[in-house]
Amino acid sequence: MATILVLGASRGIGLEFVRQYLDAGERVIATARDVTGLARLRALGATALKLDVADPASISGLAWQLDGEEIDLALYVAGVYSTSGADTPPTQQEFDRVLHTNVLGAMQAIPQVAPLVAASRHGGKFAFITSGMGQIGAVESSFGWTYRVSKAALNMAVVAAQHDYPGAILVALCPGWVRTDMGGTAAPLSVEDSVAAMRQTLAGLKPEHKGAFLHHDGRRYDSF
């Protein structure tokens, strides 16, 4: 039985990771930011931790909540979208909300979680759910400017952090265009199918994937 950590499991993709890994018989530790989310996780059978990745004071205490754990797979799923364009700079409030959730939260989680992942006897993995919109070389529009910038920064953070934790496999993983409140009803992928594909990709990760940026189905992005 593997131990899976899902950071950002209140709903959507994070919650579906929890469901599928529990159904597969794994032990799951998952975080939610409010009482409703915590109750939902406990009802499924997960070990629930209260954590708000957008709050630096909250996520800075993650290490003591995980004290003594050996994490085989960690997933940073938390994310928030922004529709801003380059013609209008983001407000300080919007910038803080998006960058704290999508980037700073991940950067605070890495030094607390990566050592536990690297210590896994089963070959630890740490995946960060990102977006194809974070590709620097494939931008066709500034729509979602702040979001694009945040995901490009997250991708770079994964690449840079990999060098400090050679005992773990760190990857940036794009779930595809998924039918969530962020992706909309026109998206071709259901949450269930996206998570199932990502689980298969994660199961097949090898050392040569360290620092890679991958599609949900395991294909590599050509560039960041």
Side-chain angles (χ1 to χ4, degrees):
M1 178 189 299
T3 297
I4 315 295
L5 172 65
V6 184
L7 300 171
S10 294
R11 59 197 176 96
I13 290 173
L15 186 60
E16 184 60 24
F17 268 120
V18 172
R19 288 195 185 100
Q20 291 196 21
Y21 277 118
L22 286 171
D23 287 346
E26 310 294 8
R27 175 174 175 255
V28 178
I29 304 169
T31 73
R33 63 181 175 271
D34 55 33
V35 172
T36 301
L38 291 169
R40 188 182 297 120
L41 292 172
R42 291 183 182 119
L44 289 173
T47 298
L49 305 179
K50 189 175 188 304
L51 181 74
D52 184 353
V53 299
D55 179 358
S58 175
I59 197 169
S60 65
L62 179 59
W64 70 260
Q65 294 196 75
L66 295 174
D67 186 40
E69 293 286 357
E70 181 181 300
I71 307 299
D72 300 302
L73 169 65
L75 297 157
Y76 187 91
V77 187
V80 63
Y81 189 58
S82 163
T83 60
S84 63
D87 55 341
T88 305
T91 64
Q92 187 68 54
Q93 182 179 14
E94 179 193 36
F95 182 86
D96 287 348
R97 181 176 67 96
V98 176
L99 271 292
H100 273 90
T101 302
N102 295 356
V103 187
L104 183 59
M107 294 176 76
Q108 287 190 285
I110 286 169
Q112 299 181 81
V113 176
L116 305 178
V117 173
S120 168
R121 290 163 290 179
H122 306 291
K125 304 163 185 175
F126 199 169
F128 300 79
I129 304 305
T130 185
S131 171
M133 292 175 74
Q135 283 192 93
I136 296 170
V139 177
E140 299 174 353
S141 166
S142 71
F143 183 75
W145 189 37
T146 309
Y147 177 77
R148 290 177 186 272
V149 168
S150 74
K151 289 302 185 179
L154 174 60
N155 294 340
M156 190 66 250
V158 173
V159 171
Q162 178 64 76
H163 296 284
D164 290 323
Y165 301 98
I169 298 174
L170 275 63
V171 296
L173 183 59
C174 178
W177 185 15
V178 187
R179 290 192 294 273
T180 61
D181 55 352
M182 192 181 298
T185 57
L189 277 172
S190 69
V191 174
E192 295 80 6
D193 287 346
S194 171
V195 169
M198 287 191 286
R199 285 180 56 226
Q200 186 172 358
T201 294
L202 290 164
L205 290 182
K206 295 178 173 57
E208 55 264 34
H209 292 113
K210 288 181 176 183
F213 182 15
L214 304 172
H215 289 268
H216 63 286
D217 57 9
R219 292 175 294 125
R220 287 179 182 262
Y221 277 92
D222 292 334
S223 71
F224 282 81

